[in-house]
Amino acid sequence: MDKFVVLDGLVAPLDRANVDTDAIIPKQFLKSINRSGFGPFAFDEWRYMDVGQPGQDCTNRPLNPQFSLNQPQFKGASVLLTRQNFGCGSSREHAPWALLDYGFRAIIAESFADIFFNNCFKNGILPIVLPTQVVDKLFSETLATPGYRLIVDLPNQVVRTPGGEAIPFDVDAFRKECLINGWDDIGLTLRHADAIHAYEERRRHEQPWLFAK
Amino acid sequence: MAKTLYDKLWENHLVRQEDDGTALIYIDRHLVHEVTSPQAFEGLRMANRKAWRIESVVATADHNTPTDGWEKAEGTACIDDEISRLQVDTLDKNIRANGALAYFPFKDVRQGIVHVVGPEQGATLPGMTVVCGDSHTSTHGAFAALAFGIGTSEVEHVLATQTLVSKKSKSMLIRVEGPLGKGVGAKDIVLAIIGKIGTAGGTGYAIEFAGSAIRGLSMEGRMTICNMAIEAGARAGMVAVDDTTINYVRGRPFAPKGSGSGSDWDKAVAYWRTLHTDEGAQFDKVVELDARAITPQVTWGTSPEMVIGIKDMIPDPAKEQDPVKREGMERALAYMGLNPNTPIAGVPVDKVFIGSCTNSRIEDLRQAAAIVRGRSVAANVKLALVVPGSGLVKRQAEEEGLDKIFKAAGFEWREPGCSMCLGMNADRLSPGERCASTSNRNFEGRQGPMGRTHLVSPIMAAAAAVAGRFVDVREVL
Ligand code: SF4
């Protein structure tokens, strides 16, 4: 998992509440054999005028001009700004995979669905909960300012605006440590690599047949 | 202190443990198939990680592979469904890139259902931890192994670290004592157990199956029992080591080698002999069954716990006190197109499926063939399929002439794979069709949308094929 320390990123607005994981990545993509490559299909039904299929080349698909992320000024965004209960619905880990592959590393919302919230941390995405008034303000600044960027400073737990404002946010201490160090579950287990090696050596000695090739 | 078999297996694989009981468990054998592994391999690659011990991996393709038409094109080109073919090809690519102890690709004679292949190759050994991205990994517990299914992120975790983060389960002993009646076997025992404790009865437990009826079973029979531990809600089921276990393992390709003291084989056997529950060890729960009371079983509903004896009447929801259960029964009867208070015997079948990781081993096929010999599939049966669990089972059966018996009776004799157990390939039920199946799940739509599955033993399935309806196999033996 990539580390998350300080992110200086372009902001893209998605002004909807209750965005569910089916909207983030529709069910036909669950048959895929990959965990990357979902980026072009993120928000597929909103983003395109046709219906996407796994493995399809999306470069020439008709875009929905109404969809905010399709507007050129938000191209390359890495901070998603959205509303309450983001990521509700099915538990598919394909949803954070799709957002990550799209390029998002931080999501700011009024609230998140529980499983999605957890899945974000497992995949190196930082979900940030901010009060409604603050989110409102960020929406109006994003829409009013071309190239609007935010600095998400995880060690100091603040979001810095171009105007110099520092907005504090909460994050679980353990998860913060994992993100800053780039530890996923595997990374955490690998902190015990010495113990695994030691166990393995003992076992190789006691039950050599388990290691025969 | 006296220990259970589960205690011994658990402690033997403990790498470390937190104060709250969260443990890191070492994994000896990692079985891999095409459906649940692609994202795990990709995750590994994306994180720039190497597999910790790739020689723990034994891989084969089974879920998506077609069971006929192998000859119509080279390699996987004969797989018509594009997504299926892609998954099989991806497994191929991943194994070529990462390696494995053994890989049995599509069409290799050793290819087959991963839970048949592991034991057959001696890749499943007593005392091992065995995992696979598949819930029926419990099968391998028949060898006194701690074996359970895992999800895709855990597949990646095992690939990368050779361990799993886990907590110890509670322990349950299911003791089945007494002689089995004629025509009654392992499948009937395990269905009777699930009927008794329910599909959630084993949730949170690791089950040890014991008692004289279990001891008397072959390894094939014990695998059938452990296979369905998951259907009783338990992630793991197991049976202690005895001579039957050791005799089965001896001489298999990946079994320990040598003979005489000091050889790997002798050291292994000495250790394996300790893999049983000590006298006086305590279980969190004990369930007892009298083997004499078990009759040939048939499921009537859409959950494995909805099961009765072949001589019984289909149950009446009106007699059920619990409103939730009553509603479940009503829904199941409507789905299955059955009437309460009528005999299950005599209900006609449209299709018959002999196969799956529950019942596709050589012993299953021998028993079914013995019923079929000299008889033919009834006219009302549209399709009767035999799908061997592996290419080697198929070859053995052909050497014994079992294929001829089946074919002469009107059965189709297919290539190995999961097939109609889950209908990911072309073998499926059509809506409304009723199937006598030796598989393990009778959920709605499992064998095809709106299909109706009745779980039975191989000989009960064979008898149903011949009669065109469910019959008491004891009357045709
Ligand atoms: S035979 Fe059926 S239950 Fe067994 S592994 Fe295949 S699909 Fe799963």
Side-chain angles (χ1 to χ4, degrees):
Chain A
M1 191 169 87
D2 287 340
K3 290 180 187 183
F4 190 114
V5 188
V6 177
L7 171 73
D8 177 351
L10 185 71
V11 182
L14 183 62
D15 198 356
R16 301 192 195 212
N18 303 309
V19 173
D20 63 71
T21 52
D22 226 308
I24 298 172
I25 186 80
K27 61 175 175 303
Q28 65 266 36
F29 301 103
L30 307 191
K31 282 189 190 166
S32 160
I33 50 158
N34 307 317
R35 87 166 68 196
S36 60
F38 291 106
F41 305 104
F43 304 109
D44 198 87
E45 284 172 21
W46 294 344
R47 198 165 151 194
Y48 301 99
M49 305 301 281
D50 61 352
V51 178
Q53 290 306 326
Q56 188 180 0
D57 176 7
C58 294
T59 39
N60 293 317
R61 291 176 62 196
L63 292 172
N64 173 6
Q66 303 300 317
F67 185 56
S68 58
L69 300 192
N70 284 339
Q71 286 154 29
Q73 71 266 35
F74 302 124
K75 207 169 157 37
S78 56
V79 180
L80 182 65
L81 181 63
T82 185
R83 295 293 182 177
Q84 55 183 322
N85 198 25
F86 187 80
C88 55
S90 115
S91 65
R92 63 191 66 164
E93 209 166 317
H94 303 66
W97 293 346
L99 294 172
L100 187 69
D101 195 57
Y102 185 96
F104 291 120
R105 292 300 310 278
I107 305 171
I108 298 174
E110 292 159 59
S111 62
F112 291 90
D114 201 40
I115 298 175
F116 176 82
F117 190 74
N118 281 317
N119 282 342
C120 281
F121 285 102
K122 279 194 183 172
N123 289 281
I125 298 173
L126 175 62
I128 300 171
V129 179
L130 292 177
T132 305
Q133 315 88 287
V134 180
V135 170
D136 279 346
K137 190 159 166 279
L138 291 175
F139 263 106
S140 47
E141 288 183 8
T142 303
L143 294 173
T145 325
Y148 186 81
R149 301 178 78 85
L150 287 171
I151 295 172
V152 180
D153 180 344
L154 179 57
N156 292 304
Q157 294 183 218
V158 289
V159 175
R160 295 182 209 283
T161 68
E165 211 184 332
I167 306 163
F169 62 88
D170 277 340
V171 58
D172 173 86
F174 176 69
R175 285 172 160 159
K176 174 178 170 179
E177 197 193 349
C178 290
L179 272 183
I180 289 177
N181 291 289
W183 293 331
D184 48 18
D185 283 1
I186 293 175
L188 286 173
T189 294
L190 288 174
R191 290 196 301 178
H192 306 298
D194 288 348
I196 304 172
H197 278 301
Y199 173 91
E200 213 166 42
E201 274 322 298
R202 181 160 53 83
R203 201 161 172 73
R204 211 181 277 276
H205 184 71
E206 289 170 1
Q207 298 184 28
W209 62 88
L210 292 176
F211 296 84
K213 289 184 188 166
Chain B
M1 208 185 82
K3 291 177 181 168
T4 64
L5 169 59
Y6 176 56
D7 291 335
K8 293 179 186 178
L9 292 171
W10 175 265
E11 285 165 18
N12 198 257
H13 291 88
L14 207 53
V15 174
R16 65 189 301 281
Q17 194 161 14
E18 312 276 352
D19 292 339
D20 70 350
T22 308
L24 211 53
I25 297 295
Y26 188 81
I27 303 304
D28 297 313
R29 176 66 66 233
H30 189 182
L31 303 171
V32 168
H33 67 76
E34 79 279 16
V35 177
T36 50
S37 64
Q39 272 105 354
F41 278 111
E42 205 208 358
L44 206 63
R45 192 168 51 72
M46 280 169 65
N48 253 323
R49 289 189 173 116
K50 278 190 47 156
W52 182 283
R53 189 162 75 83
I54 202 69
E55 315 84 69
S56 68
V57 169
V58 171
T60 192
D62 53 8
H63 283 63
N64 276 300
T65 55
T67 57
D68 58 0
W70 282 20
E71 64 298 327
K72 70 186 182 196
E74 280 285 296
T76 58
C78 70
I79 307 179
D80 292 330
D81 182 319
E82 254 176 68
I83 293 178
S84 295
R85 189 182 337 117
L86 181 62
Q87 284 194 325
V88 176
D89 286 341
T90 304
L91 177 68
D92 222 66
K93 223 170 59 195
N94 283 330
I95 299 297
R96 286 191 206 297
N98 292 274
L101 173 70
Y103 173 45
F104 309 119
F106 180 48
K107 292 183 176 172
D108 188 294
V109 69
R110 296 159 300 175
Q111 178 236 337
I113 307 171
V114 69
H115 308 309
V116 174
V117 168
E120 182 173 82
Q121 292 293 325
T124 299
L125 294 173
M128 275 184 165
T129 38
V130 180
V131 297
C132 176
D134 190 284
S135 60
H136 290 98
T137 310
S138 58
T139 311
H140 309 264
F143 291 82
L146 179 56
F148 50 89
I150 55 178
T152 294
S153 1
E154 288 179 308
V155 170
E156 184 183 343
H157 195 279
V158 173
L159 282 172
T161 71
Q162 213 57 44
T163 63
L164 270 181
V165 179
S166 184
K167 272 192 177 174
K168 199 174 174 190
S169 307
K170 291 178 284 180
S171 61
M172 182 188 292
L173 176 68
I174 296 184
R175 195 185 292 127
V176 190
E177 294 286 358
L180 282 173
K182 176 178 94 156
V184 178
K187 185 66 163 284
D188 304 301
I189 296 178
V190 74
L191 284 171
I193 289 171
I194 297 166
K196 181 174 169 117
I197 71 171
T199 48
T203 305
Y205 290 92
I207 298 179
E208 179 175 346
F209 298 98
S212 60
I214 304 288
R215 296 252 73 86
L217 293 174
S218 65
M219 286 315 291
E220 283 87 349
R222 294 176 191 184
M223 284 189 254
T224 301
I225 303 253
C226 290
N227 174 273
M228 290 192 74
I230 185 71
E231 256 54 67
R235 271 176 91 185
M238 61 197 82
V239 177
V241 167
D242 61 8
D243 289 342
T244 306
T245 325
I246 290 166
N247 291 336
Y248 181 97
V249 172
R250 181 176 306 166
R252 301 210 170 244
F254 292 97
K257 302 280 182 306
S259 62
S261 61
S263 70
D264 270 1
W265 172 257
D266 276 39
K267 275 193 269 180
V269 169
Y271 170 61
W272 295 346
R273 295 267 183 212
T274 69
L275 297 174
H276 54 78
T277 292
D278 297 333
E279 192 84 37
Q282 294 297 310
F283 287 85
D284 295 308
K285 191 167 178 186
V286 178
V287 175
E288 315 238 6
L289 271 84
D290 179 1
R292 275 168 290 239
I294 301 174
T295 58
Q297 304 280 298
V298 190
T299 62
W300 57 268
T302 51
S303 156
E305 72 183 23
M306 294 174 165
V307 65
I308 51 179
I310 183 65
K311 287 272 182 260
D312 296 340
M313 294 288 170
I314 294 166
D316 187 351
K319 292 184 192 139
E320 175 60 54
Q321 302 295 316
D322 180 346
V324 180
K325 270 198 181 160
R326 192 187 315 134
E327 213 183 290
M329 290 170 74
E330 282 164 357
R331 218 183 25 235
L333 287 175
Y335 181 88
M336 295 297 291
L338 295 172
N339 295 316
N341 303 311
T342 59
I344 189 81
V347 172
V349 299
D350 303 304
K351 286 184 175 167
V352 175
F353 172 59
I354 298 177
S356 90
C357 57
T358 314
N359 285 124
S360 63
R361 298 177 180 84
I362 189 67
E363 181 185 278
D364 302 313
L365 302 190
R366 282 180 193 142
Q367 290 175 355
I371 299 290
V372 169
R373 185 191 300 271
R375 299 184 167 117
S376 30
V377 172
N380 64 304
V381 175
K382 292 181 226 167
L383 176 68
L385 268 187
V386 186
V387 184
S390 72
L392 290 176
V393 169
K394 182 173 185 244
R395 191 166 75 184
Q396 171 79 29
E398 287 171 355
E399 279 167 17
E400 296 177 18
L402 305 184
D403 59 323
K404 293 200 185 67
I405 296 173
F406 284 117
K407 285 192 273 196
F411 276 85
E412 293 198 14
W413 178 250
R414 295 288 187 90
E415 306 290 351
C418 292
S419 179
M420 213 204 274
C421 174
L422 87 168
M424 243 180 122
N425 69 358
D427 309 335
R428 281 179 213 170
L429 296 184
S430 300
E433 279 181 343
R434 188 179 301 287
C435 181
S437 178
T438 65
S439 57
N440 44 51
R441 283 184 177 152
N442 53 346
F443 303 152
E444 289 187 16
R446 168 78 174 181
Q447 294 189 291
M450 295 307 289
R452 294 162 170 166
T453 302
H454 295 263
L455 304 177
V456 288
S457 71
I459 56 172
M460 280 288 284
V466 168
R469 64 199 66 237
F470 289 108
V471 291
D472 189 339
V473 67
R474 294 171 295 185
E475 288 160 15
V476 297
L477 274 177

